Every structure is written in structure tokens, then in C-alpha cells.
Amino acid sequence: MILEAIRSVRDLGFEILTIGKRTVTVRNITLSLDGVSRRMRYVMARGYEDQDAALASRFLNCNDKVLEAGSAIGFMALNCMMEIDIEDYCMVEANPRLEASIRENFRLNGISLPVLKTVAVGPSDGSISFGISQNFWSSSALHRDNEAERLTVPMLSIPTIVSDLPFRPNVLIMDIEGAETSIPPNHFESFEKLIIEFHPKLTGPGEALELERNITKRGFTEFGRAGGTIAFIKA
């Protein structure tokens, strides 16, 4: 409680200090601050997901074709398309409230929007209850204390999404706030490269470790890590 109070004061102070500032630059990518929470305003200004983007830049190349599950505001997609020059890209984001932010961030950077699907990625096709957080990077199918609202959103499996794309992705980037452990391990088999953020605080460390083991059992080896994010390549 004390730590959260300190963070709240920090976030308020930062908002006051940066009042009138409408964009932030991370890795030469311009991101809109319009409509984001105080917490996310601070996080974005401090280098939002810079380490994950740096890992992707070391791991991927311009010939890769990417499916990204959990695109949030489009930062990773912009990094891959601008820095690595990847052309074939599909963003999948469950939070329908973020579509306007995604489109604005691509407009600010002068990049054409790739394939965008506003659905949740899950173990099967159907629908799922999804929690919308005020801090957009915390939105999740898992129940969390900081939810602002809960919506029923469409859900598609990875094979269904892939079957509908105009290209065949060889890379899966996934950051779906704990729902990664719900994905059947065989759904990863069609990819050559994986970048997955694990969330053991949400799923429990045992489930996170079991997912990592199931991935390596399918012929993947670790390329590198950035915090809770692991890059795997098929041997």
C-alpha cells in the first residue's frame, strides 16, 4: 500500500511536470500520450518496453513474417517494421479500446497499418471475458485488482488466425498478460521463432515453467532474455 501510494504521487507529479506534452519518443518511435493513464504516461516516458524491442531487433530480420498476440498500442509492431524493416505483420489485440491509439501511433510515424485483428488469442475459437485496465498494459483475460471494466470479446486460436492471413508467419510474438499458459503447446509448432513474455506472478511460477518446458520439448532453444521475455528459436 505504501509503495503504491508513492507511485501514485510520482505519477501525479510527472503528469504535472509534463502537462501539455502529447507524445513521447521511444527508440525513435513516436507514441501518443492522449488518453493514457498517469501511470502509463510515466512508464512510456521512461522507455516503455525498450528491452523487449531491443531483443526483437537482435533476433529478427527483414525476411521474417510476424504474428503478434497482444499488440497493445502498436509499439513492438512499429519497432519491427521501422527498425528491422519487416513487411508482413499481423497485430492481434483483445482490448477494443486501444484500436484508436494503434491507428494514431502508426499515423504519427508515417507507417501504413498492417493487418489488425481486435480479438483475444486463446486455446479455441469463441468468446472470452476480458478485463480492461486503466493502465492499458495490465488488461488481461485473468481477473486483476486494477480492472476498470470487463467485456466479452471474440476469441480465436492461433491456427485459426494464421489460416486467415495473406502470408504464413514464421514468428510469434506474444504478450497476453498471463493467458499465454492457456495456449496449447502444439499451437507453437508451426513457428520458427518465438518471443514470449511470461507472467509467473499472474499464472503462478509452476505454470510458467511448464509452458517453457513444453516449448523446449518441441525443438526450441533459448536465444536470449529481456526481463520476463524469452526468445526461442527452433533448432
Side-chain angles (χ1 to χ4, degrees), residues 10-11 14 24 32-33 35-49 72-73 133-138:
R10 176 203 65 189
D11 297 341
F14 186 78
V24 66
S32 173
L33 292 172
V36 304
S37 67
R38 288 173 179 166
R39 177 66 46 84
M40 293 313 304
R41 187 180 185 89
Y42 176 82
V43 168
M44 291 167 68
R46 293 294 298 271
Y48 165 73
E49 297 200 342
I73 58 172
S133 172
Q134 185 178 15
N135 305 320
F136 63 78
W137 70 350
S138 296

Side-chain angles (χ1 to χ4, degrees), residues 3-67:
L3 180 58
E4 181 58 32
I6 292 172
R7 287 174 174 168
S8 296
V9 171
R10 176 203 65 189
D11 297 341
L12 175 59
F14 186 78
E15 182 181 50
I16 292 171
L17 287 173
T18 60
I19 194 166
K21 187 174 178 63
R22 299 190 61 185
T23 63
V24 66
T25 301
V26 183
R27 294 181 66 85
N28 295 317
I29 297 166
T30 302
L31 300 173
S32 173
L33 292 172
D34 289 348
V36 304
S37 67
R38 288 173 179 166
R39 177 66 46 84
M40 293 313 304
R41 187 180 185 89
Y42 176 82
V43 168
M44 291 167 68
R46 293 294 298 271
Y48 165 73
E49 297 200 342
D50 175 73
Q51 291 185 341
D52 286 2
L55 175 61
S57 294
R58 294 195 306 271
F59 187 42
L60 307 183
N61 64 66
C62 62
N63 296 315
D64 285 323
K65 304 177 188 296
V66 178
L67 168 63

Side-chain angles (χ1 to χ4, degrees), residues 115-182:
V115 178
L116 172 62
K117 296 180 179 291
T118 51
V119 301
V121 174
S124 60
D125 301 341
S127 61
I128 193 169
S129 177
F130 189 82
I132 307 296
S133 172
Q134 185 178 15
N135 305 320
F136 63 78
W137 70 350
S138 296
S139 297
S140 174
L142 279 64
H143 287 272
R144 306 186 68 176
D145 293 338
N146 58 1
E147 287 181 11
E149 60 178 318
R150 199 154 189 93
L151 305 175
T152 298
V153 301
M155 178 177 69
L156 294 176
S157 69
I158 289 173
T160 296
I161 294 170
V162 169
S163 70
D164 191 46
L165 293 178
F167 60 89
R168 184 75 178 183
N170 69 306
V171 178
L172 174 66
I173 299 174
M174 177 176 286
D175 181 3
I176 54 176
E177 296 301 312
E180 63 274 4
T181 58
S182 73

Side-chain angles (χ1 to χ4, degrees), residues 72-142:
I73 58 172
F75 171 68
M76 180 64 84
L78 283 164
N79 177 75
C80 290
M81 297 177 73
M82 293 172 64
E83 183 169 323
I84 312 173
D85 200 25
I86 292 175
E87 294 183 1
D88 292 318
Y89 204 102
C90 172
M91 295 189 294
V92 184
E93 174 51 49
N95 183 351
R97 306 284 190 260
L98 292 181
E99 182 174 354
S101 295
I102 292 171
R103 293 183 180 278
E104 175 63 7
N105 287 330
F106 272 81
R107 186 195 69 79
L108 287 171
N109 290 280
I111 302 295
S112 297
L113 190 73
V115 178
L116 172 62
K117 296 180 179 291
T118 51
V119 301
V121 174
S124 60
D125 301 341
S127 61
I128 193 169
S129 177
F130 189 82
I132 307 296
S133 172
Q134 185 178 15
N135 305 320
F136 63 78
W137 70 350
S138 296
S139 297
S140 174
L142 279 64

